[in-house]
Amino acid sequence: MATIRDVAKLAGVSVATVSRVLNQNGYVNEETEKRVRQAIKKLNYKPNEVARTLFKKTSKTIGLIVPDISNPFFPELVRAVEDVMNIYDYTVILCNSDEKNEKEKEYMEVLKQKYVDGIILTTNQLELDEVSEINVPVVVLDRPLNHSFPSVIADNYGGARLATRHLYEIGCRRIAHIQGPSHVVNAVERFNGYRDEMKELGLWDERLVILGNYQLKQAKEAVLQALKEYDIDGIFAGNDAMAVGALKAVQQLGLRVPEDVAIIGYDGIPLTEMTTPELSTISQPIYEMGAIAARILVKKIEGKPLEQIHYVLPVELIERQSTRKGERK
């Protein structure tokens, strides 16, 4: 394997000159740079990226911290971030925190030690000062942290009201909500949207709020219990995974969807088209959210101005069999 000294010898220059060409740091006349680049190509020289990272304190890598990679919502976000970062020759280090504060802190420390050029956060377990002290650009995705950081989210509050109103319009009156984790901002925003819409409709009943923590199995068990205690004819789940859990619970009790209980989820993941019946959902522009966050981070890393700091993207009602009006009794 060729070394930087081999390149310098072939080009007839010093090692320092080769280093300046590689790092685009300092003056090298055009003819000398041409000789160096020809030598690099002839020897198929590959710079030592670890050494370059230590020297330049940059690495052409970014960190992406997600709370639960098993949730089908996040792989699509990850794909979008990776696609955009690859265009700009950045490598993505993926970190799965399992919604644990200590794990997020550990990842932040590891990413700092690896000299990442920036971080995209889709979690909100960390305190503001813990994020600020890392001293690299940070973009917040899906779960807003603080207005001092650029953010990309969807209209969680509006989407929740849209879902609840949809259930009302197809005839549901006893509408339950499966809520996500109480510490997660978007779960709270969706709950607030549901609550405010129910109050406006004169249907609010706090007993119909079910805790599902964004988990399919937990949602299923919670819905099984709720259906035994209350007369429910509609369910708005705070994410699609919990909507699938609700569907399984309803069917396990021998009830029909949507004839007896209508169900709508939130996110718009492909899984909602694979169930029987297919699940209605509030669809977020997942790929677009990830791509916008990645482009913002690149601009922050490169010191370029941002046209916009905070993005709130619109959501869309996707009506499928689980809330089809003609199939309700």
Side-chain angles (χ1 to χ4, degrees):
M1 183 182 293
T3 68
I4 193 170
R5 294 184 183 280
D6 297 328
V7 173
K9 184 176 180 180
L10 182 59
V13 298
S14 68
V15 169
T17 299
V18 177
S19 179
R20 284 197 293 272
V21 171
L22 289 170
N23 295 310
Q24 294 292 291
N25 180 26
Y27 174 75
V28 178
N29 73 56
E30 189 176 338
E31 183 58 35
T32 301
E33 181 172 352
K34 185 177 179 181
R35 291 205 317 272
V36 170
R37 294 201 177 280
Q38 286 174 341
I40 289 171
K41 185 175 181 181
K42 185 173 182 179
L43 294 171
N44 194 27
Y45 171 69
K46 305 294 182 186
N48 185 324
E49 291 299 330
V50 174
R52 292 185 73 190
T53 294
L54 291 172
F55 175 72
K56 298 177 71 177
K57 299 294 188 291
T58 64
S59 60
K60 293 294 283 187
T61 62
I62 66 117
L64 173 57
I65 303 179
V66 301
D68 181 9
I69 198 63
S70 67
N71 183 331
F73 171 81
F74 290 105
E76 190 167 350
L77 270 188
V78 172
R79 175 65 182 271
V81 170
E82 188 175 48
D83 284 351
V84 172
M85 298 311 294
N86 282 345
I87 292 171
Y88 296 95
D89 295 323
Y90 283 87
T91 299
V92 178
I93 300 175
L94 178 62
C95 309
N96 178 56
S97 72
D98 291 321
E99 297 274 16
K100 295 177 180 177
N101 178 271
E102 285 305 312
K103 206 169 178 183
E104 285 185 26
K105 287 181 181 178
E106 290 173 9
Y107 277 135
M108 291 293 274
E109 187 60 35
V110 168
L111 293 173
K112 193 189 323 184
Q113 291 174 7
K114 289 186 177 296
Y115 295 115
V116 295
D117 298 316
I119 294 174
I120 295 178
L121 277 177
T122 67
T123 62
N124 61 351
Q125 295 282 322
L126 298 171
E127 297 296 329
L128 177 60
D129 59 342
E130 292 174 322
V131 178
S132 300
E133 67 183 18
I134 194 169
N135 292 324
V136 298
V138 172
V139 176
V140 180
L141 175 58
D142 183 48
R143 302 180 180 184
L145 178 66
N146 183 280
H147 281 294
S148 59
F149 297 102
S151 62
V152 183
I153 62 173
D155 183 8
N156 294 295
Y157 178 83
R161 295 199 69 152
L162 182 62
T164 308
R165 173 70 65 165
H166 174 61
L167 290 171
Y168 176 81
E169 288 176 347
I170 64 169
C172 299
R173 295 296 180 267
R174 298 171 301 281
I175 303 169
H177 173 54
I178 315 175
Q179 187 179 351
S182 58
H183 66 274
V184 174
V185 177
N186 58 26
V188 174
E189 290 175 340
R190 292 170 199 176
F191 163 74
N192 289 340
Y194 158 80
R195 179 200 60 204
D196 291 352
E197 189 67 27
M198 290 290 281
K199 285 184 175 181
E200 189 172 299
L201 294 169
L203 301 174
W204 169 245
D205 183 346
E206 64 181 12
R207 295 174 301 173
L208 298 182
V209 178
I210 304 165
L211 189 61
N213 279 323
Y214 281 167
Q215 300 296 318
L216 188 155
K217 289 183 179 179
Q218 187 171 341
K220 178 188 173 184
E221 295 305 316
V223 171
L224 280 172
Q225 186 62 37
L227 287 170
K228 292 173 183 176
E229 295 180 6
Y230 306 109
D231 185 14
I232 294 169
D233 62 1
I235 296 174
F236 162 44
N239 74 354
D240 286 335
M242 294 193 298
V244 174
L247 176 62
K248 293 173 74 69
V250 170
Q251 292 175 333
Q252 184 173 314
L253 292 175
L255 299 171
R256 299 167 300 167
V257 177
E259 293 88 346
D260 300 318
V261 183
I263 300 172
I264 185 168
Y266 200 109
D267 280 340
I269 62 175
L271 180 62
T272 54
E273 298 182 79
M274 302 174 192
T275 57
T276 303
E278 294 181 358
L279 285 164
S280 296
T281 185
I282 299 298
S283 177
Q284 301 191 78
I286 305 173
Y287 190 92
E288 185 182 358
M289 290 167 64
I292 290 173
R295 292 190 192 102
I296 291 174
L297 186 62
V298 171
K299 286 186 176 182
K300 290 283 288 181
I301 291 170
E302 296 179 352
K304 295 179 179 177
L306 302 178
E307 297 85 9
Q308 188 173 334
I309 297 176
H310 303 294
Y311 289 77
V312 180
L313 303 186
V315 295
E316 179 186 2
L317 168 65
I318 305 295
E319 183 180 1
R320 299 198 183 102
Q321 296 165 336
S322 68
T323 63
R324 195 143 292 161
K325 192 171 184 178
E327 300 189 26
R328 282 186 58 78
K329 58 185 179 180

